[in-house]
Amino acid sequence: MIQTWRLDSKTQSFVLAAEHHALPSVIYWGALLPESENLETLYHAHQQDVTGGMLDENPALSICPEARRSFTGQAGLILYSGQGLPLFPKFSYSSDIYQNNKLSLHYRDETLGIKYQADFEIYDDSDMIVTMAKLTAELPIYVHWLSVPVVPASPSADEMIDFSGRWCGEFQEIRTPFKMGIHSRDNRTGRTGHEHFPALILPIKTTTHNNGEAYAFHYGWSGGHRMIAEQLPDGRRQVQFGNAPHTEQNHTQNFQTAPCYLTYSHQGINGCARHFQNHLRNHIVNFPQQKNRQKPRPVFYNCWEAIYHRHDVEALKQIASMAAKLGAERFVLDDGWFGKRDDDRQALGDWQIDRRKYPDGLTPLIDHIHQENMSFGIWLEPEMVNPESELYQANPDWVLGDETQILGRQQKVLNLALPKVSDFLFDSISNLLSHNAIDYIKWDHNRVLPMADADQTRGIYALLDRLREAFPHVEIESCASGGGRIDFGILQRTHRVWLSDSNDALERARIQHGAALFLPSCVTGSHVGPRHCHTSGRTHHIHFRAWIAAQRHMGFEMDPRELTDEEATILTNVTKWWKAERDWLMNADILRLDSDDSAVLAEQHLSDDEQQFVVFANKIDTSAQIAPFPLKCCALQADAFYDIDLVNRDELHHLSRGNIRIKTEGLRLSGQYLMRYGINLAWSFPSQVWVIKGKKIA
Ligand code: DGJ
């Protein structure tokens, strides 16, 4: 008997089928199939031939490939009994729940007393499939590895895109040929990490940002992951995602993976990016509401690179007033306000206001900030402790890892699996939030774990959930030395990410561009840094710094006292522009443009009603050719007309001497022309952003 199940969204179909009550396989995932497609026929059509050098039948590439069914590739699970013996389950169907857009499949291995469950949900609005796997055991077992339901990969994807990175260099795209054998990305840092963003994109041959088919995966877990992309000797391919193996500290009777987000698009890699951005806005991030309406995202000011640990109330008030004048609407007091935190060697864990720096507490500063019409946010790094702190001296047994472990930024990690640690942090933070008018927490995490430990991730999720429930009006930013903890798991509990500690606009442009494959502007923090960048040593003009920050959730991080009058005016004007546009920009999709010039990194931000857009053409290098190439737009209506205009005409350089129309006035052009020919840009030096606004003619 053949069992079949089918899930459809607006543009994709996902079909599962099984025979003899075994685990099913995904027999089709891709463009929407006709409603009348016969799924049993599909099952037969999907079978692969057998010849010499093979078993007499092809073992199924199921949603959890089982070694006991002669599957010789990477198994979907690796388990051990309570006595440490390897277990090889062979599951049979027990039931399913199949309703609307949801499917839950239940299997069991009677002999071993283990149940396996696979859940799928398909979202019509965001075109996203969310899937996860669960195990239940009669006796405690050790779960070394459990993959989310396994999906096959198309043989037409000749390469895979995944992500590596480093501090100040997140979201570096790596393209690897998809070949026989396994390509695995293993993150054993215990946090999402700068090094391995948990995602994979499989573009079909010739796919570009805007054309062709692509498949994409993101694993929403903040504790480190494993990704396996494998091609078997028979040519079939599988993709697995799960928690980093061997990160469980205990045997268990219940285990579940984190959700994995899958999406397919026939509108290029951007199609997948739009699905992720949409899904994040609609189903992951949960902004506090103001009278049933989302508050506009405020312009940030963060004082870290202005003062570091040298907190002085009068200086901070002056900085706050200057930031407000530039347009800031939220002031974030960074590291240095608590304990004896005069540098990063001490005081983490001592979450009391430092009375040497704040003799009357934080209230006088907060009042001043409120008078300047800004809300107030504060920095915390709750999961960490410095050995040189009162907390550690009193509770040396509260930390993870050995006593003699290697420190990271002079700090150790608190063990959040201990209820007393979690309670201590909840009480300390509650106390701070209850006695001070705090609207925002920048929640930092500045080192990897001494050893990857899944309970730590469960602990931080539980603590954040508890705090969110107690203080629903407080927003949280996920920071981990910049972008070390960015994923849909943490973003279900937070509202913004500090994408990188690099405020170098040039580096930031590239990092933002990489992150746009998953993250929309509304959660992606981007700040105007100091004139001389502290993390790269480069110097950038304020125009460049301001426009790069204006491409995401905008903020400032330089000391405003360093700004010349001219710089302050430019920054104020760009910020005004951002505020005037933010209502639609923060709900827009970021589409990466297929720029013919590798020196131009370009994006088109398209409003959710597709009535307006802005193109940011970031010139990050000197071009190989002399004059700029036309830059093609995307996702416009071919037969509609658009008024386009250059927003920052005042930045034209005198060495741009040509008589091109956009330098002096706007143009009305068809979508077809804008997508097929493009826009001719003005010549410029590198480190220039051209901002082109487009509006559809009704
Ligand atoms: C690392 C963060 O990424 C910075 O922005 C800053 O908050 C420092 N930590 C403070 O210690």
Side-chain angles (χ1 to χ4, degrees):
M1 179 203 160
I2 296 165
Q3 295 171 288
T4 59
W5 299 269
R6 168 179 181 161
L7 294 165
D8 287 334
S9 68
K10 278 197 302 266
T11 64
Q12 51 190 321
S13 294
F14 190 80
V15 183
L16 295 127
E19 211 173 349
H20 311 306
H21 278 177
L23 286 172
S25 306
V26 176
I27 58 163
Y28 178 83
W29 174 30
L32 194 65
L33 293 171
E35 227 175 283
S36 56
E37 188 86 55
N38 184 310
L39 302 186
E40 269 195 37
T41 311
L42 219 65
Y43 177 76
H44 292 298
H46 173 258
Q47 298 304 318
Q48 213 187 13
D49 201 3
V50 171
T51 181
M54 297 174 98
L55 292 174
D56 295 340
E57 227 179 87
N58 285 314
L61 202 179
S62 77
I63 54 172
C64 186
E66 300 144 296
R68 261 191 64 204
R69 290 191 192 265
S70 306
F71 185 79
T72 54
Q74 300 298 306
L77 80 183
I78 303 175
L79 308 179
Y80 295 91
S81 71
Q83 293 69 41
L85 294 171
L87 299 172
F88 298 101
K90 187 175 177 186
F91 293 109
S92 307
Y93 172 82
S94 48
S95 63
D96 64 62
I97 307 169
Y98 189 17
Q99 281 169 342
N100 303 324
N101 296 334
K102 280 191 187 175
L103 173 64
S104 186
L105 298 170
H106 302 245
Y107 291 79
R108 65 172 182 271
D109 180 316
E110 289 289 6
T111 323
L112 296 176
I114 300 175
K115 291 182 183 162
Y116 172 86
Q117 180 179 331
D119 291 334
F120 304 87
E121 182 165 6
I122 195 159
Y123 290 78
D124 218 22
D125 59 345
S126 55
D127 250 318
M128 187 64 63
I129 300 163
V130 184
T131 181
M132 65 196 297
K134 292 181 187 159
L135 289 175
T136 322
E138 281 164 22
L139 296 171
I141 53 170
Y142 184 79
V143 181
H144 178 90
W145 168 248
L146 176 65
S147 171
V148 298
V150 172
V151 291
S154 165
S156 315
D158 55 350
E159 60 178 10
M160 38 189 144
I161 305 174
D162 64 357
F163 300 84
S164 72
R166 58 166 167 80
W167 178 66
C168 286
E170 295 82 347
F171 286 95
Q172 299 180 23
E173 290 167 50
I174 309 288
R175 287 183 183 244
T176 315
F178 204 144
K179 287 191 181 145
M180 178 91 87
I182 65 170
H183 171 74
S184 167
R185 191 163 275 277
D186 269 16
N187 170 3
R188 302 205 55 79
T189 64
R191 63 177 183 181
T192 327
H194 304 84
E195 305 83 1
H196 312 278
F197 180 70
L200 177 70
I201 299 176
L202 298 177
I204 298 306
K205 273 173 219 154
T206 74
T207 290
T208 63
H209 283 114
N210 290 307
N211 292 302
E213 295 179 289
Y215 296 80
F217 308 73
H218 165 56
Y219 188 58
W221 175 245
S222 315
H225 75 289
R226 167 174 283 181
M227 180 274 289
I228 297 170
E230 178 176 35
Q231 179 167 322
L232 303 169
D234 60 31
R236 290 177 300 171
R237 291 166 165 187
Q238 63 161 332
V239 176
Q240 300 190 3
F241 270 95
N243 292 6
H246 209 184
T247 50
E248 292 303 322
Q249 306 305 308
N250 297 299
H251 289 78
T252 184
Q253 288 176 265
N254 293 292
F255 179 86
Q256 65 181 49
T257 66
C260 192
Y261 301 85
L262 317 176
T263 196
Y264 156 86
S265 175
H266 56 264
Q267 290 175 328
I269 294 173
N270 277 335
C272 294
R274 291 182 82 173
H275 297 168
F276 282 116
Q277 294 180 33
N278 236 302
H279 194 75
L280 190 137
R281 281 196 303 265
N282 296 345
H283 302 286
I284 302 291
V285 74
N286 190 3
F287 292 112
Q289 302 283 309
Q290 188 184 44
K291 292 196 191 107
N292 295 329
R293 189 177 162 270
Q294 201 174 300
K295 287 188 235 170
R297 305 306 296 140
V299 175
F300 272 53
Y301 177 76
N302 183 298
C303 67
W304 176 240
E305 295 202 346
I307 58 158
Y308 293 103
H309 296 100
R310 298 180 301 273
H311 288 215
D312 171 86
V313 178
E314 288 318 308
L316 283 165
K317 283 183 180 171
Q318 190 194 356
I319 289 173
S321 298
M322 294 177 83
K325 209 160 161 235
L326 294 167
E329 299 161 309
R330 170 169 284 158
F331 183 97
V332 180
L333 186 68
D334 212 285
D335 191 358
W337 59 268
F338 55 92
K340 293 204 171 62
R341 184 76 168 168
D342 294 336
D343 54 45
D344 61 14
R345 284 176 302 196
Q346 57 205 326
L348 281 179
D350 300 340
W351 299 114
Q352 304 84 29
I353 298 163
D354 184 349
R355 296 281 164 174
R356 298 170 309 158
K357 298 176 185 170
Y358 297 92
D360 302 313
L362 294 174
T363 306
L365 177 63
I366 297 179
D367 285 348
H368 179 85
I369 284 162
H370 286 170
Q371 276 157 24
E372 294 288 1
N373 281 325
M374 290 189 284
S375 59
F376 178 74
I378 199 158
W379 181 92
L380 292 169
E381 195 177 1
E383 293 141 278
M384 302 292 163
V385 64
N386 288 118
E388 209 177 317
S389 67
E390 288 174 17
L391 184 73
Y392 185 80
Q393 297 307 318
N395 307 285
D397 55 333
W398 280 17
V399 300
L400 277 178
D402 291 347
E403 212 192 313
T404 55
Q405 65 180 274
I406 303 172
L407 301 184
R409 208 191 187 202
Q410 288 85 234
Q411 61 201 49
K412 292 188 175 184
V413 186
L414 290 171
N415 184 352
L416 287 178
L418 299 175
K420 58 188 171 192
V421 173
S422 182
D423 287 346
F424 163 80
L425 291 174
F426 179 80
D427 293 343
S428 309
I429 299 169
S430 299
N431 185 40
L432 185 72
L433 297 180
S434 310
H435 292 100
N436 298 281
I438 295 172
D439 295 288
Y440 190 80
I441 297 173
K442 176 179 176 183
W443 188 296
D444 213 340
H445 185 288
N446 283 307
R447 58 157 291 171
V448 300
L449 301 194
M451 205 177 80
D453 177 348
D455 284 340
Q456 189 69 6
T457 309
R458 295 186 189 107
I460 183 60
Y461 283 176
L463 177 61
L464 286 169
D465 290 345
R466 202 170 155 199
L467 284 164
R468 293 271 304 121
E469 204 178 322
F471 302 94
H473 67 283
V474 176
E475 283 186 24
I476 303 176
E477 171 173 293
S478 176
C479 171
S481 302
R485 188 156 61 186
I486 299 177
D487 59 81
F488 281 18
I490 203 74
L491 275 160
Q492 265 170 336
R493 298 158 172 98
T494 54
H495 308 91
R496 190 183 200 243
V497 296
W498 184 225
L499 185 63
S500 179
D501 271 353
S502 174
N503 283 323
D504 178 327
L506 192 65
E507 294 177 353
R508 195 86 183 189
R510 193 199 49 71
I511 300 167
Q512 288 180 176
H513 203 60
L517 293 171
F518 305 91
L519 302 179
S521 290
C522 61
V523 296
T524 312
S526 190
H527 295 173
V528 178
R531 189 182 305 125
H532 305 294
C533 177
H534 295 187
T535 52
S536 70
R538 282 200 192 94
T539 302
H540 291 300
H541 194 278
I542 190 71
H543 275 140
F544 189 54
R545 286 181 281 148
W547 282 119
I548 294 294
Q551 293 176 37
R552 297 296 188 268
H553 182 190
M554 189 174 190
F556 321 137
E557 193 151 338
M558 89 303 278
D559 188 336
R561 296 171 297 186
E562 79 166 28
L563 296 174
T564 62
D565 290 348
E566 191 203 359
E567 286 173 327
T569 307
I570 292 169
L571 183 53
T572 310
N573 289 340
V574 174
T575 309
K576 271 191 195 140
W577 178 88
W578 187 84
K579 283 183 180 174
E581 308 283 342
R582 70 177 148 192
D583 280 352
W584 72 269
L585 269 182
M586 292 299 101
N587 284 312
D589 287 339
I590 307 170
L591 301 158
R592 307 195 333 170
L593 294 178
D594 288 312
S595 165
D596 292 316
D597 186 343
S598 59
V600 177
L601 205 59
E603 293 175 353
Q604 178 181 316
H605 296 212
L606 182 65
S607 66
D608 54 1
D609 60 5
E610 302 194 351
Q611 297 300 306
Q612 54 184 327
F613 65 87
V614 62
V615 168
F616 295 106
N618 301 313
K619 182 147 184 189
I620 55 166
D621 206 347
T622 307
S623 301
Q625 78 290 353
I626 303 174
F629 285 146
L631 180 63
K632 294 187 187 74
C633 295
C634 67
L636 302 179
Q637 193 184 316
D639 58 358
F641 278 83
Y642 295 82
D643 279 341
I644 63 159
D645 205 359
L646 182 61
V647 173
N648 51 342
R649 190 163 282 135
D650 56 325
E651 294 172 38
L652 286 166
H653 198 278
H654 69 272
L655 290 180
S656 156
R657 291 183 286 125
N659 191 15
I660 60 172
R661 180 70 69 85
I662 202 154
K663 285 166 65 176
T664 49
E665 60 187 284
L667 300 160
R668 180 166 291 186
L669 295 165
S670 69
Q672 187 75 288
Y673 181 85
L674 288 167
M675 291 190 290
R676 304 294 162 207
Y677 178 81
I679 305 168
N680 265 321
L681 304 167
W683 179 92
S684 77
F685 282 135
S687 302
Q688 171 74 50
V689 181
W690 290 129
V691 185
I692 296 143
K693 181 84 200 289
K695 235 183 158 87
K696 194 172 175 182
I697 303 306

